[in-house]
CSV table of all heavy atoms in Angstrom, one decimal:
chain,number,residue,atom,x,y,z
V,269,MET,N,-8.1,-12.2,-6.3
V,269,MET,CA,-8.8,-11.9,-5.0
V,269,MET,C,-9.6,-10.6,-5.1
V,269,MET,O,-10.7,-10.4,-4.7
V,269,MET,CB,-7.8,-11.8,-3.9
V,269,MET,CG,-7.3,-13.1,-3.4
V,269,MET,SD,-6.1,-12.9,-2.1
V,269,MET,CE,-5.2,-14.4,-2.2
V,270,PHE,N,-8.9,-9.6,-5.7
V,270,PHE,CA,-9.5,-8.3,-5.8
V,270,PHE,C,-10.7,-8.3,-6.7
V,270,PHE,O,-11.8,-7.7,-6.4
V,270,PHE,CB,-8.5,-7.2,-6.3
V,270,PHE,CG,-9.1,-5.9,-6.5
V,270,PHE,CD1,-9.5,-5.1,-5.4
V,270,PHE,CD2,-9.4,-5.4,-7.8
V,270,PHE,CE1,-10.1,-3.8,-5.6
V,270,PHE,CE2,-10.0,-4.2,-8.0
V,270,PHE,CZ,-10.3,-3.4,-6.9
V,271,LEU,N,-10.6,-9.0,-7.9
V,271,LEU,CA,-11.7,-9.0,-8.8
V,271,LEU,C,-12.9,-9.8,-8.2
V,271,LEU,O,-14.1,-9.3,-8.3
V,271,LEU,CB,-11.3,-9.8,-10.1
V,271,LEU,CG,-10.3,-9.0,-11.0
V,271,LEU,CD1,-9.9,-9.9,-12.1
V,271,LEU,CD2,-10.9,-7.7,-11.4
V,272,ALA,N,-12.6,-10.8,-7.4
V,272,ALA,CA,-13.7,-11.6,-6.7
V,272,ALA,C,-14.4,-10.7,-5.7
V,272,ALA,O,-15.6,-10.7,-5.6
V,272,ALA,CB,-13.2,-12.8,-6.1
V,273,LEU,N,-13.6,-10.0,-4.9
V,273,LEU,CA,-14.2,-9.1,-3.9
V,273,LEU,C,-14.9,-7.9,-4.5
V,273,LEU,O,-15.9,-7.5,-4.0
V,273,LEU,CB,-13.0,-8.6,-3.0
V,273,LEU,CG,-12.4,-9.6,-2.0
V,273,LEU,CD1,-11.1,-9.1,-1.5
V,273,LEU,CD2,-13.4,-9.9,-0.9
V,274,ALA,N,-14.4,-7.4,-5.7
V,274,ALA,CA,-15.1,-6.3,-6.4
V,274,ALA,C,-16.4,-6.7,-6.9
V,274,ALA,O,-17.4,-6.0,-6.7
V,274,ALA,CB,-14.2,-5.8,-7.5
V,275,VAL,N,-16.5,-7.9,-7.5
V,275,VAL,CA,-17.8,-8.4,-8.0
V,275,VAL,C,-18.8,-8.7,-6.8
V,275,VAL,O,-19.9,-8.3,-6.9
V,275,VAL,CB,-17.6,-9.8,-8.7
V,275,VAL,CG1,-18.9,-10.4,-9.0
V,275,VAL,CG2,-16.8,-9.5,-10.0
V,276,LEU,N,-18.2,-9.2,-5.7
V,276,LEU,CA,-19.1,-9.4,-4.5
V,276,LEU,C,-19.6,-8.1,-3.9
V,276,LEU,O,-20.8,-8.0,-3.6
V,276,LEU,CB,-18.3,-10.2,-3.5
V,276,LEU,CG,-19.1,-10.6,-2.2
V,276,LEU,CD1,-20.3,-11.4,-2.4
V,276,LEU,CD2,-18.1,-11.3,-1.2
V,277,SER,N,-18.7,-7.1,-3.9
V,277,SER,CA,-19.1,-5.8,-3.4
V,277,SER,C,-20.2,-5.2,-4.3
V,277,SER,O,-21.2,-4.6,-3.8
V,277,SER,CB,-17.9,-4.9,-3.4
V,277,SER,OG,-16.9,-5.3,-2.5
V,278,CYS,N,-20.1,-5.3,-5.6
V,278,CYS,CA,-21.1,-4.7,-6.5
V,278,CYS,C,-22.4,-5.4,-6.4
V,278,CYS,O,-23.5,-4.8,-6.4
V,278,CYS,CB,-20.6,-4.9,-8.0
V,278,CYS,SG,-19.2,-3.8,-8.3
V,279,VAL,N,-22.4,-6.8,-6.2
V,279,VAL,CA,-23.6,-7.5,-6.0
V,279,VAL,C,-24.3,-7.1,-4.7
V,279,VAL,O,-25.5,-6.9,-4.6
V,279,VAL,CB,-23.3,-9.0,-5.9
V,279,VAL,CG1,-24.6,-9.8,-5.5
V,279,VAL,CG2,-22.9,-9.5,-7.3
V,280,CYS,N,-23.5,-6.9,-3.6
V,280,CYS,CA,-24.0,-6.5,-2.3
V,280,CYS,C,-24.6,-5.1,-2.4
V,280,CYS,O,-25.7,-4.8,-1.7
V,280,CYS,CB,-22.9,-6.5,-1.2
V,280,CYS,SG,-22.4,-8.2,-0.8
V,281,VAL,N,-24.0,-4.2,-3.1
V,281,VAL,CA,-24.6,-2.9,-3.3
V,281,VAL,C,-25.9,-2.9,-4.1
V,281,VAL,O,-26.9,-2.3,-3.8
V,281,VAL,CB,-23.6,-1.9,-4.0
V,281,VAL,CG1,-24.2,-0.6,-4.4
V,281,VAL,CG2,-22.4,-1.7,-3.1
Side-chain angles (χ1 to χ4, degrees):
M269 287 179 200
F270 176 73
L271 291 176
L273 289 166
V275 171
L276 182 58
S277 297
C278 293
V279 170
C280 289
V281 171

